[in-house]
Amino acid sequence: MRMLGVVNRWLLVRGYCRIHHVDIPAADRERLLRAVNRDTAAFLGPNHPEFGADWLVDKEVSTFVAPRMASWAARNIVNAAPRFWGMNNLVAADGGDAAKEYSIERALAGDGVLLHPEGSVRWTNDHVHPLFPGIAQMAMQAAERTERPVYIVPLVWKYRYIGDVSGRMHREMAIIERALDLPTMPGVSVAKRFHALQLNLLAARMRSFGYEDACPSASFFERQRAFQLHLVRELMSRYRVEPSESMDRTIARLKSVILSEAKDLHSSQPEAGPSLRSLRLRSGQAGRQISSPSLDLLQADEARRLGEMSADVYDTPLLTQEQISECLKRTRDRLMRRGWRNALANMLPCPLGARVVHVGVPEPICVTTVHRHERGDYEAALLELTRASMQSALDDINRRIAPAVEAFAVENPFASQSFGS
């Protein structure tokens, strides 16, 4: 595992991901060392600003304090080389009680456990979304088994481009325009091209799902929200799920029910239609006249995608290179999945330029035992405290590096004052 850390640092972190420096202030490093060592049981919870590179930064951070740290990953990653990843303490995220038990044992042994707790992963550099409860649940169980300190250790990191990457952003937008058959916009500024790309993409997706835009003169975020609500209401009329105040949670529940029905249908009638993997949404109203769990699953995915570029994150006076980059990466991942080039680009997205990753470590949260009837409230309090401390630390990083980031930022065409323009 130590050797893998060295390979990861020089070949992947500094090589492929072009991270020239991992910036961890001395005070943050001290908090990390104090919470993660052989005398504690620690559960580390980083944010998730970028798919692919996050795995590599995970490993780099673990080499500072706990080279034998167990880390959670998607099942398909573990299955790619189960013996190798098993030797390196990689835990399948869908491993159920066995995965949780193994993780608790590793934490109690002093190795530490690292898992991305964000429940609504949108790969945003500036915003921490609601968390999965597993990190609190495992820490609470560990606290019941030991007298040593048990910590939830919040972590955040922010990727920052060192120089101007506008040329690479134009290249990425051209790739997306061609792949999704959208109007091309060469010769305009990054801001105007990105604005046009998002407007054209929204219109194209509305047509694909047979939705007539009721308010074409409204703001981008308002039109997007109306489209998302339409898709969710259609699905709610066909599937019985408990609604939630959180749109993300409602969509997740719908997707779970739809996926279950699709699997049941495929197992009972394998000849009924194409597999979920090969199915692609047909364009135009005619394609929506046939309702099936498979098509409904695509509709749920689209509703989720629409919520990812939300006003609470992107209605800002300036639009940074990092914000534009993360939106382009999400678009490629959600809508461009055919062919090995797209598979590679989505598995390990290539950065648009050289970067620094700024790491912050808020004060670790000491987890204690509570009475059985208090566990629900305590779990919720731990999650909210973890999320709030992560967001606060991320905001601190952004304030500290604001001059360097704003040097390459552009006026945001989606900002409130630009609505309707």
Side-chain angles (χ1 to χ4, degrees):
M1 292 184 74
R2 289 182 184 275
M3 181 58 67
L4 183 62
V6 173
V7 172
N8 175 71
R9 176 176 300 166
W10 294 105
L11 182 63
L12 297 174
V13 172
R14 300 195 179 192
Y16 186 86
C17 289
R18 301 188 67 182
I19 295 173
H20 286 199
H21 178 56
V22 179
D23 169 36
I24 306 182
D28 295 78
R29 188 185 288 261
E30 170 59 29
R31 281 190 288 270
L32 190 60
L33 289 167
R34 176 162 40 90
V36 188
N37 55 68
R38 285 293 177 182
D39 297 322
T40 68
F43 296 86
L44 293 81
N47 61 331
H48 208 330
E50 181 178 308
F51 186 74
D54 284 340
W55 307 340
L56 311 179
V57 176
D58 288 347
K59 185 64 178 175
E60 178 70 0
V61 170
S62 75
T63 62
F64 299 152
V65 289
R68 290 179 53 81
M69 185 180 295
S71 300
W72 281 44
R75 168 68 67 179
N76 62 312
I77 302 299
V78 179
N79 285 346
R83 184 175 179 184
F84 173 77
W85 290 124
M87 291 169 59
N88 284 278
N89 267 353
L90 208 65
V91 182
D94 63 350
D97 291 340
K100 289 182 178 179
E101 181 61 28
Y102 178 80
S103 298
I104 293 169
E105 290 175 359
R106 299 325 310 153
L108 292 174
D111 291 334
V113 176
L114 187 146
L115 61 161
H116 289 273
E118 275 193 294
S120 304
V121 178
R122 300 180 187 178
W123 304 339
T124 55
N125 264 274
D126 302 326
H127 193 83
V128 179
H129 301 281
L131 310 184
F132 282 128
I135 191 168
Q137 293 170 353
M138 284 187 276
M140 290 167 63
Q141 291 180 46
E144 294 174 351
R145 303 186 194 181
T146 184
E147 297 297 323
R148 69 174 64 181
V150 176
Y151 293 108
I152 290 176
V153 186
L155 289 171
V156 293
W157 44 75
K158 160 76 179 239
Y159 298 100
R160 174 178 66 83
Y161 286 109
I162 296 172
D164 182 3
V165 296
S166 57
R168 294 295 298 271
M169 286 193 286
H170 275 297
R171 179 184 172 187
E172 283 293 296
M173 286 188 276
I175 291 172
I176 293 171
E177 290 163 351
R178 288 195 299 269
L180 301 182
D181 197 23
L182 301 174
T184 59
M185 297 286 291
V188 301
S189 68
V190 165
K192 287 184 178 179
R193 188 170 193 171
F194 181 66
H195 187 228
L197 172 63
Q198 295 301 325
L199 292 176
N200 290 330
L201 179 60
L202 180 60
R205 301 303 287 175
M206 286 177 173
R207 289 193 298 271
S208 292
F209 285 87
Y211 173 73
E212 184 175 349
D213 193 350
C215 304
S217 62
S219 75
F220 170 81
F221 293 118
E222 290 168 339
R223 294 170 61 213
Q224 182 176 254
R225 179 68 171 176
F227 180 29
Q228 183 190 47
L229 287 172
H230 166 78
L231 295 177
V232 171
R233 286 168 181 160
E234 266 201 351
L235 293 173
M236 293 284 285
S237 71
R238 294 196 287 273
Y239 297 91
R240 182 171 295 180
V241 299
E242 183 180 352
S244 169
E245 293 181 3
S246 165
M247 178 64 78
D248 288 336
R249 195 165 297 143
T250 297
I251 293 171
R253 290 171 180 173
L254 279 166
K255 188 170 179 178
S256 178
V257 171
I258 296 166
L259 192 57
S260 177
E261 290 199 14
K263 289 179 178 178
D264 290 345
L265 179 64
H266 186 68
S267 61
S268 62
Q269 304 177 44
E271 73 287 350
S275 68
L276 291 176
R277 184 179 298 274
S278 64
L279 184 65
R280 292 293 182 270
L281 181 64
R282 287 163 285 180
S283 298
Q285 182 65 33
R288 299 303 301 154
Q289 292 175 354
I290 302 174
S291 178
S292 74
S294 299
L295 290 174
D296 288 341
L297 183 63
L298 293 173
Q299 185 165 322
D301 284 338
E302 178 67 9
R304 178 177 180 267
R305 188 192 72 81
L306 290 166
E308 291 177 333
M309 189 178 171
S310 57
D312 61 325
V313 179
Y314 295 101
D315 184 8
T316 51
L318 296 177
L319 199 60
T320 68
Q321 294 188 128
E322 292 76 19
Q323 287 177 306
I324 295 174
S325 176
E326 67 196 23
C327 288
L328 296 178
K329 286 177 183 177
R330 279 200 308 268
T331 300
R332 290 196 66 163
D333 179 77
R334 306 312 191 225
L335 301 178
M336 296 168 56
R337 299 205 148 197
R338 291 181 179 177
W340 67 267
R341 286 186 176 87
N342 285 327
L344 178 60
N346 293 332
M347 178 66 69
L348 272 177
C350 186
L352 304 183
R355 301 182 292 178
V356 170
V357 58
H358 300 276
V359 180
V361 185
E363 191 65 34
I365 300 167
C366 188
V367 180
T368 62
T369 58
V370 296
H371 293 295
R372 184 178 298 274
H373 69 277
E374 297 174 325
R375 288 179 181 173
D377 291 340
Y378 188 49
E379 176 187 310
L382 286 173
L383 287 175
E384 180 51 33
L385 180 58
T386 303
R387 194 206 65 79
S389 65
M390 292 169 71
Q391 187 63 60
S392 178
L394 189 54
D395 292 342
D396 287 343
I397 291 174
N398 278 325
R399 280 190 290 269
R400 188 174 79 243
I401 67 174
V405 171
E406 291 174 5
F408 303 105
V410 297
E411 186 175 346
N412 188 355
F414 298 99
S416 297
Q417 59 267 31
S418 298
F419 281 171
S421 63

